[in-house]
């Protein structure tokens, strides 16, 4: 049973380009969460999605960032017109269902570097 | 605003010693408190978790102590080993699955 998969593991973009980060949840998991981790900082919640629905995007920057979790395929975190401040590790987590005590299983992360 | 405050930021412990990491919160709606362990280049992995109706939970060398009235909880690693060297995050969850993480503690266990 494969864990949460993220790709690419490392992504380098120049300022102004677009970054697309992919997350495939664990089999049977229908809830996906995206987090951003800056050096020396903790994990910051960005967005929580179920299939075809955004449940909570309170942590998403208002501009340039979007996320989706289509009926088929992985969840995508899209960053348009990247800036140096977007350089960070982006982690995806998945859980099987909505419940207070559900563990979130994390992927290995995508490390985005903006030149 | 940081919902969960974690300290210390870094910790160095001798092999065999006790590592203690503390977290505090304000939101009484939180109802689940997990700790995650993260090795360099990896994603966080659940280590141990506790519900607020329990004051202590132990799993092997790892113990969570929970003080509901003080809104504080801590992770104790007994007989710390070099393999425990990692970054540890506390978290608090409120109904609706909203996770709030602490800023992390970098633990180094010296042989």
């Amino acid at each position: 049973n494969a864990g949460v998969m993220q790709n690419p593991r490392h992504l380098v973009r120049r300022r102004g380009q677009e970054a697309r980060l992919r997350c495939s949840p664990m089999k049977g998991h229908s809830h996906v969460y995206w987090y951003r981790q800056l050096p020396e900082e903790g994990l910051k919640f960005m967005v929580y999605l179920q299939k075809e629905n955004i449940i909570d995007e309170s942590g998403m920057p208002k501009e340039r960032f979007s996320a989706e979790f289509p009926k088929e395929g992985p969840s995508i975190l899209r960053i348009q017109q990247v800036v140096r401040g977007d350089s960070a590790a982006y982690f995806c987590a998945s859980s099987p269902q909505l419940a207070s005590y559900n563990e979130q299983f994390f992927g290995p992360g995508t490390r985005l570097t903006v030149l | 605003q940081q919902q969960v405050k974690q300290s210390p930021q870094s910790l160095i412990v001798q092999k065999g010693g006790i590592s203690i990491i503390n977290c505090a919160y304000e939101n009484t709606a939180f109802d689940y408190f997990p700790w995650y362990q993260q090795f360099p280049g990896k994603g966080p992995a659940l280590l141990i978790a506790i519900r607020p109706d329990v004051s202590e939970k132990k799993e092997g060398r790892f113990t969570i102590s929970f003080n509901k009235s003080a809104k504080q909880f801590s992770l104790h690693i007994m007989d710390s080993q070099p393999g425990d060297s990692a970054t540890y995050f506390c978290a608090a969850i409120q109904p609706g699955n909203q996770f709030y993480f602490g800023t992390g503690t970098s633990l180094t266990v010296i042989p």
Side-chain angles (χ1 to χ4, degrees):
Chain A
N1 184 17
V4 178
M5 297 172 66
Q6 289 187 249
N7 67 83
R9 293 293 309 276
H10 300 274
L11 182 61
V12 179
R13 285 287 178 266
R14 296 191 181 280
R15 280 180 297 169
Q17 291 184 319
E18 179 179 286
R20 279 183 180 243
L21 288 62
R22 295 175 187 78
C23 169
S24 296
M26 286 181 69
K27 187 176 181 180
H29 287 194
S30 57
H31 298 249
V32 165
Y33 311 79
W34 284 94
Y35 295 85
R36 177 163 63 178
Q37 185 177 35
L38 293 166
E40 309 302 324
E41 293 188 15
L43 293 152
K44 300 289 188 188
F45 168 79
M46 298 181 74
V47 62
Y48 162 35
L49 311 103
Q50 293 179 37
K51 287 281 188 182
E52 300 183 280
N53 282 308
I54 296 175
I55 305 302
D56 182 350
E57 56 181 348
S58 58
M60 286 279 270
K62 294 288 187 282
E63 298 176 348
R64 303 187 297 107
F65 285 72
S66 63
E68 63 177 9
F69 189 15
K71 187 176 180 180
E72 302 290 338
S75 175
I76 307 277
L77 179 67
R78 183 181 176 207
I79 311 172
Q80 295 178 289
Q81 299 177 317
V82 296
V83 300
R84 289 222 173 100
D86 297 332
S87 295
Y90 291 84
F91 290 95
C92 162
S94 72
S95 68
Q97 62 187 25
L98 176 63
S100 290
Y101 308 132
N102 259 334
E103 175 185 352
Q104 291 189 2
F105 294 83
F106 282 83
T110 293
R111 276 145 187 87
L112 172 65
T113 301
V114 179
L115 301 177
Chain B
Q1 183 186 2
Q2 191 68 30
Q3 292 269 359
V4 180
K5 293 182 169 60
Q6 183 172 347
S7 64
Q9 186 174 357
S10 61
L11 182 61
I12 300 174
V13 173
Q14 289 273 339
K15 179 183 175 182
I18 303 174
S19 304
I20 302 175
I21 305 170
N22 301 299
C23 285
Y25 64 97
E26 287 296 327
N27 187 348
T28 55
F30 291 142
D31 60 0
Y32 192 53
F33 300 88
W35 284 88
Y36 283 80
Q37 180 187 55
Q38 183 180 26
F39 292 104
K42 306 289 186 183
L46 179 68
L47 189 62
I48 187 173
I50 197 168
R51 300 180 188 184
D53 54 350
V54 175
S55 61
E56 185 175 282
K57 183 174 181 180
K58 185 175 181 179
E59 289 184 3
R61 296 184 294 108
F62 300 91
T63 300
I64 299 179
S65 297
F66 189 85
N67 186 330
K68 188 173 181 178
S69 60
K71 289 184 276 189
Q72 295 175 348
F73 58 110
S74 59
L75 175 70
H76 296 235
I77 306 175
M78 312 299 285
D79 187 26
S80 299
Q81 299 296 312
D84 297 330
S85 297
T87 300
Y88 293 81
F89 293 96
C90 62
I93 308 173
Q94 65 184 25
N97 255 13
Q98 174 68 282
F99 274 58
Y100 295 91
F101 285 87
T103 50
T105 296
S106 176
L107 171 65
T108 302
V109 180
I110 301 172

